[in-house]
Amino acid sequence: TRDGSSMSGHEHEIRDLAAKMLRTFKEADKDGDGLLNFEEFSNSLSLGQQSQLLCRLLFRGFDANGNHFVDAVEYCRCLFILTLGSPDQRAQFAFDMYRGKDAGIEEKHVRVVVDAMCDVLKGMGVDISDHSAITSHLFSRLRGDSTSQSISFDSYKQAVQNSKSITVDLQTLISGGPMEHTTVARGSTIRPFRYHPLPFYVRVAPCFEIDDFHRLEDEDTGLELATVVEQISGTSNDLDWTDPRDKCFSGEPAQLPTVDDVVRALSAIPECPDSRLNYIKQVMFGDPRWSQMLCLMMGVQKGLQTSHVTDSPDNTIDYRLSNNPSGYVKLVEFRPELFGKVREMYRIGNSDMAGSLGPTSMLVSLLFGRLITLNGNVSQGKSGSFLFFTHDRKFVVKTIPGKERRTLLRSLPDYVEHLEKYPDTLMTRFYGCYKLVHQSGKKKSFVVMSNVFSSPITIDESYDLKGSITNRLGKPGKLQMDENLRRRERKLLLPREKRDRLVAQINADTQWFAKHHIMDYSLLIGIHKNPSASLEGSTSTNRSEFERDCGGVLSRSAEEGDEIYLIGIIDAITEYDIQRRSERFAKKWLLCKNGNKISVNPPKNFAKRFQTEMNKFFVAHTIE
């Protein structure tokens, strides 16, 4: 509750979140004094040296006491507001970040914030030339119908209620409409991005001489001389540009709070009504996965801006991420022309994918006091793959072993042909395949794919079905499996014609898998019970007929009640190789298990059993 006695029914989750935030703070506190100075704070963000102005603005928001240091409770409290806080709390954080000590937000404040965001995007390879247009549009939207030259908190709070539409407008302005493409010939490599630490010092160091400004222009920092002089001479005092690194802490180290102390502090913060557990899994500043996530976001963004003039099998993009412990990073994008064809087939534009996966949405959301990044989770399957879900739940980014990447690429032309032939296919849609290569030699392959549960409806039950019964019993509260469905005698009811078409599509998809020696896939099912009348009438023009009722297929039944099924075949890039053959041999002959009931089976046998069991799970019914 909001009186601090409990945390809205999920105390354990909030306690886990508090512990996570505290660990993040300790990791960022390199000198161990219990306080974060500006350098420690900015290093934990790992956004590159061109992010110093944005880091300064965020630091001002985190430094609630104005003492140029951030203690652990302040740090956790602000992170909580950015991720789970109420709209009013987020608005207050962003308003303070804009205005500093001033009474209201003026256009000059908005210009500095826009400059900060554009500096970071430039370091990430997104060059924005017209900062003034973005500033004018954002100030106009925040001001609303008012003619005042200053935005009050009440006006700003009202404008933030429309932050989604403002965000879309800003993303359009930033991208300049359709995303620009850079043509790269076969075998070419894009040079690493150049980072300039100077924008931050230009804005906070009035001791710079005019010759230094001319030199900065010559070095292509993207700063206009007039803008720099205006910021230094006209607004720097108003914006309180005191470099916190000049403040040296000389007292005793601060005592770190306990997890209970942090939980008590968080309990006083009103939560956002739509906050859910997935926010608690969000990758935050200082998280061990933060740098990897930034590499991924920047790589996908740049890959979408690059196209080939030949049939080059891959596209290599090199860039450097400052403050990344792994140092120099190379990203390889595989077969962009074929994956682009899949995206086009399902009406996924480059701007759509960049808006969900690129860094722009993350930075724009910070303008409204909200941290939107990817949500991380470990697959509940035995693969242990790491999954990133985009903030809008449209896409899933999954790490895969190199052999699965090779399986996908080898079958990719036939895969695209199958999608064209069967518009109602249940196969996972793969929208991109990439490999991150670290300077240390470590490599990480990942795919961007559709999310079966990308829907506005809630999932009341979820099942992962393979057609086997050995080790196929899900634990309470976790993803349920074949044996759970059998024990509950749960029926998945569909009208006869639709049920027959669904089973026929499953047969066609599994025959394709068998042809390409693929096995161990699953049918993922999410069930939404008792859909409201408004949802029942919410149909879409999705390519597949099994995704037209809020992303799924509607079932009307007097026995189970009306339901919506979200259905898709996942984990479908595992080849029946020597490792799988050995696993089957061990289970069948050494452990004396029934070869027909274990999960590992030759592709043709696996497909046949899968078809048989799915035919049993889906039952035809007649509406009376």
Side-chain angles (χ1 to χ4, degrees), residues 344-348 423-424 429 537-552:
E344 182 180 355
M345 208 181 297
Y346 289 93
R347 302 175 185 176
I348 304 294
D424 297 328
R429 273 100 68 179
S538 176
T539 59
S540 68
T541 57
N542 284 353
R543 194 165 181 265
S544 171
E545 73 162 310
F546 306 121
E547 298 178 6
R548 291 176 186 163
D549 298 300
C550 293

Side-chain angles (χ1 to χ4, degrees), residues 284-301:
M284 301 179 183
F285 305 143
D287 190 291
R289 302 161 296 179
W290 177 259
S291 292
Q292 180 183 337
M293 184 198 72
L294 290 177
C295 290
L296 186 154
M297 294 174 78
M298 286 190 290
V300 170
Q301 171 91 31

Side-chain angles (χ1 to χ4, degrees), residues 533-606:
S534 59
L535 287 179
E536 288 180 17
S538 176
T539 59
S540 68
T541 57
N542 284 353
R543 194 165 181 265
S544 171
E545 73 162 310
F546 306 121
E547 298 178 6
R548 291 176 186 163
D549 298 300
C550 293
V553 55
L554 179 64
S555 167
R556 294 184 179 276
S557 167
E559 185 175 346
E560 294 286 350
D562 290 353
E563 297 176 331
I564 293 178
Y565 302 147
L566 306 179
I567 309 170
I569 298 177
I570 62 171
D571 297 335
I573 47 178
T574 302
E575 198 170 27
Y576 191 59
D577 55 12
I578 186 63
Q579 180 182 345
R580 294 293 179 171
R581 294 172 190 270
S582 301
E583 181 183 350
R584 175 173 172 78
F585 178 86
K587 288 182 176 180
K588 181 177 180 179
W589 300 107
L590 301 182
L591 300 180
C592 300
K593 293 187 176 182
N594 189 327
N596 294 324
K597 295 182 178 180
I598 60 177
S599 177
V600 183
N601 257 283
K604 290 184 178 180
N605 294 353
F606 191 96

Side-chain angles (χ1 to χ4, degrees), residues 128-285:
I128 305 163
S129 57
D130 194 355
H131 296 199
S132 299
I134 298 174
T135 300
S136 299
H137 180 81
L138 179 57
F139 183 73
S140 175
R141 292 295 302 271
L142 293 178
R143 186 173 55 179
D145 297 330
S146 173
T147 58
S148 172
Q149 296 303 309
S150 178
I151 304 171
S152 66
F153 176 67
D154 289 338
S155 298
Y156 179 78
K157 185 169 63 173
Q158 184 176 1
V160 167
Q161 295 177 359
N162 299 319
S163 61
K164 288 185 178 180
S165 64
I166 300 176
T167 299
V168 172
D169 290 346
L170 288 177
Q171 288 178 329
T172 302
L173 282 172
I174 289 170
S175 64
M179 293 186 65
E180 298 295 332
H181 289 269
T182 302
T183 301
V184 180
R186 184 185 182 103
S188 297
T189 300
I190 296 178
R191 297 179 60 189
F193 305 145
R194 294 175 58 204
Y195 284 90
H196 298 278
L198 296 168
F200 169 70
Y201 297 105
V202 168
R203 291 171 172 84
V204 301
C207 60
F208 264 39
E209 301 293 338
I210 196 71
D211 289 340
D212 293 319
F213 296 140
H214 287 297
R215 177 173 55 79
L216 296 183
E217 282 193 310
D218 293 340
E219 292 185 5
D220 188 28
T221 60
L223 297 172
E224 298 177 2
L225 176 60
T227 301
V228 174
V229 173
E230 178 188 357
Q231 288 184 346
I232 293 299
S233 61
T235 66
S236 60
N237 293 331
D238 295 337
L239 296 176
D240 187 29
W241 290 122
T242 303
D243 189 347
R245 289 176 295 180
D246 294 336
K247 305 290 183 178
C248 298
F249 177 72
S250 57
E252 293 294 326
Q255 184 177 359
L256 283 175
T258 65
V259 174
D260 290 334
D261 293 333
V262 175
V263 169
R264 281 193 291 272
L266 300 185
S267 66
I269 303 174
E271 288 184 62
C272 183
D274 64 351
S275 62
R276 294 180 183 176
L277 183 60
N278 63 287
Y279 285 111
I280 296 178
K281 298 176 181 177
Q282 185 170 331
V283 182
M284 301 179 183
F285 305 143

